[in-house]
Amino acid sequence: MFAAPTALSRRMWLKGAGALGCADLFPKLASATETEIFSEGLKDHAARKGLIYGSAVEGLHLRTNLAYQETVLRECGWIVPTYEMKWGVTGQVRGNSNYARPDFIVDFALRHGLKVRGHTAIWYLNIPKWLGEALHEPEKPDVFDTHIQELVTHYHNRIREWDVVNEAIDFKDGQPHGLRNSIFLQTLGPDYIARAYRVAREADPAAILVYNDFGVEYPGARQEARRRAMLEIVQNLRRENLIDGVGLQCHVNAGQRFDAAVFRKFLKELADLGVSILISEFDVNDTQLGPDIETRDQAVATYAKDFLDVALDEQAVRGVISWGISDKYTWLNEQPFARKDGAPSRALPFDEAMRRKPLWNALASAFDHAPQRDHSDPIIRPVK
Ligand code: XIL
């Protein structure tokens, strides 16, 4: 009887409870205003232009915070598990994967008609404790292949799109092609990237395979090098028809100078390779802004609007996924990203009480002003 109510059933519940004179059964739910509850969500603004909007979510919060759950359902067409699908979570016991946590999110999504991005098969962080040793064993490639094969197969027909490899670039490591010196590079060599996509392609030939990375949005030599490295990865994968899209994380920083021309050029270069582009982990770091909330929220919104207008102007860009939806749950409060003054970050479109912020308006307005996409399915398949 007290199973997690859907947005609709909860409203009906409230009505019923009110009629019975016990409306304060759900005192914490009076956060969003009526306008917010009954107006269109960001997904609707996006969809009108053939674009998508969604958010990274955490299963625990979906289960325990109804106001959050309702916000996600109202605003998002897509969701992405923040960490639950990472190898370190599903693969704690070697040879006995446990998908209970990501399954909860995927089941939730499908029950409510949302789509899910698979994030992520191969990442250098959040990996099982046993993996380092295992990858050095003679049968090491099996561990790698089996993980990807099993993960993609487990979600066959439920997840259409995968971040197969995440964050493979890091020039600091001094490796050829700017590749990060991850455990995968060390044990399998640079071919681990193509290998991952080959396994994923075979496991689900209909799935959209994406390469996801950060640090390619800004001017300057460091990011320019990362852009070249990313283009090289995409080009190599395209040669074997192993990739369909790229995810640009776009953890932007409101204190950093944005150069529209540089970003536009990069988007065009990616589009010319025949891949679709997703702004895959959008949020606005506000650590360089003053503490006053009103001023900060305005500055974050203005910055985001300028950035998103450029991003959405490129036809190959399919839409925006933000890395969280409410300031109550943002990774930007984790170290080393948190503000030095201890004030909570205001990086996301909803505040801690699930009320819309100026950043919500910036996103809605960017979608409203984006050029119409000429395809009804926002996923662009590669030209064979
Ligand atoms: C982050 C989560 O948001 C954090 O809670 C966790 O501590 C670390 O991982 N790029 C990615 C995401 O691709 O998987 C990361 O998620 C954020 C950066």
Side-chain angles (χ1 to χ4, degrees):
M1 183 176 184
F2 282 97
T6 61
L8 186 66
S9 70
R10 208 202 81 199
R11 231 172 273 137
M12 286 163 65
W13 252 94
L14 276 172
K15 256 177 107 181
L20 292 171
C22 49
D24 57 353
L25 263 179
F26 301 100
K28 289 211 183 93
L29 300 183
S31 47
T33 66
E34 226 174 83
T35 321
E36 284 161 351
I37 289 173
F38 292 105
S39 68
E40 291 188 313
L42 289 173
K43 68 173 183 329
D44 306 303
H45 287 265
R48 228 176 278 124
K49 296 298 174 70
L51 292 163
I52 65 169
Y53 173 74
S55 166
V57 297
E58 288 190 33
L60 180 69
H61 303 145
L62 282 176
R63 261 185 208 268
T64 56
N65 184 338
L66 286 177
Y68 170 76
Q69 183 187 119
E70 192 167 85
T71 305
V72 167
L73 289 176
R74 190 183 57 242
E75 304 288 334
C76 297
W78 288 68
I79 55 178
V80 186
T82 302
Y83 70 91
E84 290 88 339
M85 211 169 266
K86 290 169 181 167
W87 197 352
V89 178
T90 62
Q92 280 174 26
V93 182
R94 186 173 177 180
N96 189 13
S97 308
N98 182 344
Y99 297 107
R101 280 164 174 243
D103 278 353
F104 171 76
I105 294 177
V106 175
D107 291 346
F108 172 87
L110 299 186
R111 224 176 26 249
H112 295 284
L114 310 182
K115 292 181 173 141
V116 188
R117 302 196 71 244
H119 178 83
T120 171
I122 298 297
W123 190 34
Y124 73 105
L125 290 176
N126 206 340
I127 45 180
K129 288 200 176 62
W130 53 264
L131 185 65
E133 211 176 297
L135 281 171
H136 283 98
E137 293 166 3
E139 76 275 19
K140 63 192 179 184
D142 292 349
V143 172
F144 183 85
D145 294 359
T146 305
H147 163 63
I148 302 167
Q149 203 271 337
E150 202 189 277
L151 178 68
V152 173
T153 306
H154 182 79
Y155 290 109
H156 187 241
N157 287 333
R158 294 189 286 167
I159 294 186
R160 278 180 81 183
E161 173 173 336
W162 286 99
D163 287 340
V164 179
V165 175
N166 190 36
E167 302 185 350
I169 301 168
D170 189 349
F171 275 86
K172 279 201 307 297
D173 292 349
Q175 298 298 311
H177 310 282
L179 291 183
R180 182 188 297 278
N181 197 18
S182 64
I183 184 83
F184 309 111
L185 187 81
Q186 288 166 26
T187 57
L188 301 169
D191 185 55
Y192 88 87
I193 299 179
R195 180 184 188 116
Y197 285 82
R198 278 183 215 117
V199 176
R201 198 53 121 203
E202 203 183 310
D204 187 354
I208 302 293
L209 305 186
V210 175
Y211 175 71
N212 195 53
D213 215 326
F214 67 93
V216 290
E217 305 85 20
Y218 286 108
R222 268 183 46 214
Q223 295 223 351
E224 185 57 28
R226 293 182 59 87
R227 281 189 281 277
R228 296 304 118 204
M230 189 171 189
L231 286 166
E232 193 181 337
I233 289 175
V234 174
Q235 215 158 11
N236 288 338
L237 292 171
R238 277 293 281 153
R239 227 167 269 138
E240 284 185 63
N241 191 28
L242 292 174
I243 187 170
D244 310 299
V246 293
L248 308 183
Q249 295 184 5
C250 299
H251 295 288
V252 297
N253 186 327
Q256 202 163 341
R257 187 176 71 85
F258 173 58
D259 184 330
V262 170
F263 192 45
R264 261 182 215 286
K265 177 169 170 266
F266 180 53
L267 294 174
K268 177 79 170 52
E269 286 178 290
L270 285 169
D272 286 346
L273 291 180
V275 287
S276 67
I277 305 167
L278 183 68
I279 308 304
S280 59
E281 302 187 12
F282 186 71
D283 53 17
V284 187
N285 184 313
D286 67 7
T287 45
Q288 290 177 53
L289 303 177
D292 179 66
I293 286 182
E294 217 171 295
T295 323
R296 189 149 44 115
D297 282 357
Q298 272 312 327
V300 161
T302 306
Y303 189 90
K305 177 74 165 62
D306 289 347
F307 180 85
L308 292 170
D309 280 347
V310 174
L312 297 181
D313 203 31
E314 167 54 59
Q315 275 284 339
V317 172
R318 299 166 46 209
V320 181
I321 306 289
S322 53
W323 206 243
I325 196 159
S326 156
D327 293 339
K328 191 173 173 75
Y329 309 120
T330 165
W331 75 308
L332 293 173
N333 286 330
E334 296 169 17
Q335 292 309 338
F337 307 104
R339 287 174 64 91
K340 302 288 169 275
D341 62 8
S345 159
R346 299 187 64 84
L348 292 168
F350 285 79
D351 71 8
E352 295 184 346
M354 308 301 151
R355 285 179 301 233
R356 285 176 182 165
K357 293 165 56 200
L359 181 54
W360 184 94
N361 295 83
L363 276 151
S365 166
F367 289 134
D368 292 346
H369 291 97
Q372 183 76 43
R373 271 36 183 177
D374 45 21
H375 44 87
S376 52
D377 183 340
I379 291 175
I380 302 169
R381 292 308 312 248
V383 191
K384 294 252 166 75

